[in-house]
Amino acid sequence: MKRILTLLYLLLFLPAHLGSHSRPPLLFSAETLDPKSFQGIGEADPKRKESFPTFWGANALTQEDREIQGLKVTIFSLEGGAWIQHKKVKLGANRIEVFGKEAYKAFLKNGVHIEDQENGTVMRAGVGEYDKYSEMVYIKERPRLSFRDKTGKTTVISAKQIDRELSTKITKLHGGVIVNHPEVTIFCAEAVFKESEHLITTDPNPILISKNRYLSGKKLSFYTNESRILLEENTVLFQSSEETKKDPEGNEKKQTVLTILKGDKIESRPNEENDRTVMISGNATVLRKDIKITSDNIESVGKDSRIIKARKNIKVHDRENNLLLSGNVFDYFRNENYLHLTDEGKMEFLDKNSDQVTSTITAQEFERFLDQKETVIRGNIWIKSKSTEAQGEYATYFENDESVILEGNPRINRSGKILRAGKIVFYPREGRSILTEGVHLGN
């Protein structure tokens, strides 16, 4: 009888919650997402207008209440294939701590994997932090970001820390940034990747390295979809190439040649033939062992600068042959050993010891055949030296003899007297000339 009374007492007077059963929060598979909201899982905060549902799950879950900065917060610990779905971005890790049932903050630990399913961008790291309402993800411990451009090439970016704005698709990279692209590797301290523009910009003084090339400048912009690189302010490009040259005996010999390109701005991009082209503008300069080219704008085609084009205010200093050429349109084809200069073209002969100008030739067109060591000159030719002026329509300069043969109604002015001949041989470094084939005096 006493046992029955005791049982009735417990049923009538003990608190109701001790006799009730509390169901744990539901979990659902990481492989399928049910858009419904469950109590305690993915439930939106109705007090926030910008709130949106966030789903999460794992193979195992534990729940506890903590006091953080004086506020009581419910924390869910997810383990084993833990994940969070933020709109079209999926965040995964071996272990995730979710703050609040609406998942307004989460800490990702051990093997972080983040995939932007809309853009195909993937991030990996050791640990990460997720903020729902600012729509930010911060990852550390060997973080890296990878994506594939429209050409199918994959770019991998690593840094000490990577911060990604999930709404704008803007990624900020901090400390020891390395951008690995199939065609170039970029090193810098800080960088920003704007995915909508396919653009990576860096802090001052980045370094770029590609096959046989080294580039630096103050400001860099890399358009990943176009493989286009833009360097601005104090830009310089070092380029090495293996070239075949003939020695004085005519024997071919391969040697490594260094070419330096610099200017206010350097732009590198593939052309229609998918060949790398470098455009230099503003104080553009090309330096090689035996030649210096300066111009307002210079274009270099090919990884070995096999074609060089220059426009406006061109000066070409051939140190090997002590020549200075100038004009406004210049084209150089290294494989063909051919150089073309026009538009106010001028050739100046320099003294071998002092670099002082000994003679000058102006004409409409200059063609240098480098392998033959000859220059063909055409159109309204004027030859000027200290004591002589000569005119003609056609001339050839022979480098070995250092002589110019002037033809096409050639004439020479000596002390006010006009001498004509069928041909005039002029030695520009000595200032002397020889008239042959029907010499006569008169206008």
Side-chain angles (χ1 to χ4, degrees), residues 86 143 353:
H86 175 101
N353 298 317

Side-chain angles (χ1 to χ4, degrees), residues 251-268:
N251 301 316
E252 291 188 349
K253 183 179 180 182
K254 287 186 177 182
Q255 59 181 3
T256 300
V257 178
L258 176 66
T259 303
I260 301 173
L261 301 92
K262 61 180 183 177
D264 295 338
K265 182 170 71 174
I266 291 179
E267 181 177 353
S268 175

Side-chain angles (χ1 to χ4, degrees), residues 112-372:
V112 176
H113 180 273
I114 302 169
E115 183 177 356
D116 190 326
Q117 297 163 332
E118 186 176 27
N119 299 282
T121 301
V122 177
M123 296 192 296
R124 299 179 186 273
V127 297
E129 180 181 340
Y130 162 68
D131 190 307
K132 172 180 179 177
Y133 293 111
S134 65
E135 299 194 65
M136 289 290 301
V137 173
Y138 311 89
I139 58 174
K140 296 180 180 180
E141 294 185 7
R142 299 185 67 182
R144 55 203 180 277
L145 178 150
S146 63
F147 62 92
R148 182 174 294 180
D149 59 31
K150 66 179 182 180
T151 64
K153 296 176 181 177
T154 300
T155 300
V156 180
I157 308 175
S158 61
K160 290 183 179 179
Q161 178 174 324
I162 298 177
D163 306 338
R164 184 165 175 86
E165 299 176 5
L166 301 178
S167 60
T168 63
K169 314 298 182 187
I170 293 176
T171 304
K172 296 180 180 179
L173 305 112
H174 309 282
V177 180
I178 302 175
V179 180
N180 280 302
H181 183 269
E183 295 182 12
V184 67
T185 301
I186 302 171
F187 300 90
C188 60
E190 305 282 331
V192 176
F193 174 40
K194 296 181 180 179
E195 196 162 311
S196 61
E197 302 176 29
H198 309 285
L199 171 63
I200 297 173
T201 56
T202 72
D203 68 329
N205 305 314
I207 295 172
L208 292 85
I209 298 175
S210 63
K211 188 177 181 180
N212 301 324
R213 281 184 172 179
Y214 170 97
L215 299 89
S216 67
K218 192 171 182 181
K219 180 182 177 182
L220 179 141
S221 301
F222 177 35
Y223 297 85
T224 59
N225 254 8
E226 308 170 39
S227 295
R228 180 163 68 99
I229 300 166
L230 180 62
L231 275 169
E232 298 177 83
E233 299 182 42
N234 302 322
T235 61
V236 61
L237 184 157
F238 297 90
Q239 174 179 283
S240 63
S241 59
E242 192 175 75
E243 301 177 10
T244 302
K245 288 195 173 184
K246 291 183 179 181
D247 58 21
E249 288 75 30
N251 301 316
E252 291 188 349
K253 183 179 180 182
K254 287 186 177 182
Q255 59 181 3
T256 300
V257 178
L258 176 66
T259 303
I260 301 173
L261 301 92
K262 61 180 183 177
D264 295 338
K265 182 170 71 174
I266 291 179
E267 181 177 353
S268 175
R269 66 190 306 173
N271 58 18
E272 294 178 355
E273 290 76 30
N274 202 31
D275 206 353
R276 181 60 63 172
T277 299
V278 176
M279 297 289 298
I280 315 168
S281 56
N283 300 308
T285 304
V286 175
L287 291 170
R288 289 166 62 93
K289 180 180 179 180
D290 53 2
I291 197 167
K292 177 181 179 181
I293 304 171
T294 61
S295 177
D296 289 357
N297 300 284
I298 295 177
E299 177 183 358
S300 169
V301 180
K303 61 183 180 180
D304 54 357
S305 294
R306 71 176 187 277
I307 300 174
I308 296 176
K309 301 179 180 181
R311 301 294 182 266
K312 294 184 180 180
N313 300 317
I314 302 154
K315 286 189 177 181
V316 181
H317 186 185
D318 185 340
R319 290 188 286 264
E320 184 178 6
N321 296 288
N322 301 103
L323 295 172
L324 183 64
L325 292 92
S326 58
N328 289 305
V329 178
F330 169 84
D331 295 281
Y332 167 61
F333 301 88
R334 186 175 60 81
N335 292 345
E336 291 78 13
N337 287 301
Y338 175 75
L339 180 155
H340 184 262
L341 178 73
T342 186
D343 193 2
E344 300 183 10
K346 181 168 63 174
M347 175 185 283
E348 295 175 285
F349 298 85
L350 308 179
D351 183 89
K352 296 179 181 180
N353 298 317
S354 64
D355 276 348
Q356 295 294 318
V357 178
T358 60
S359 299
T360 300
I361 300 177
T362 59
Q364 294 177 355
E365 183 180 29
F366 292 83
E367 288 184 287
R368 291 190 69 189
F369 299 89
L370 302 176
D371 55 340
Q372 300 177 28

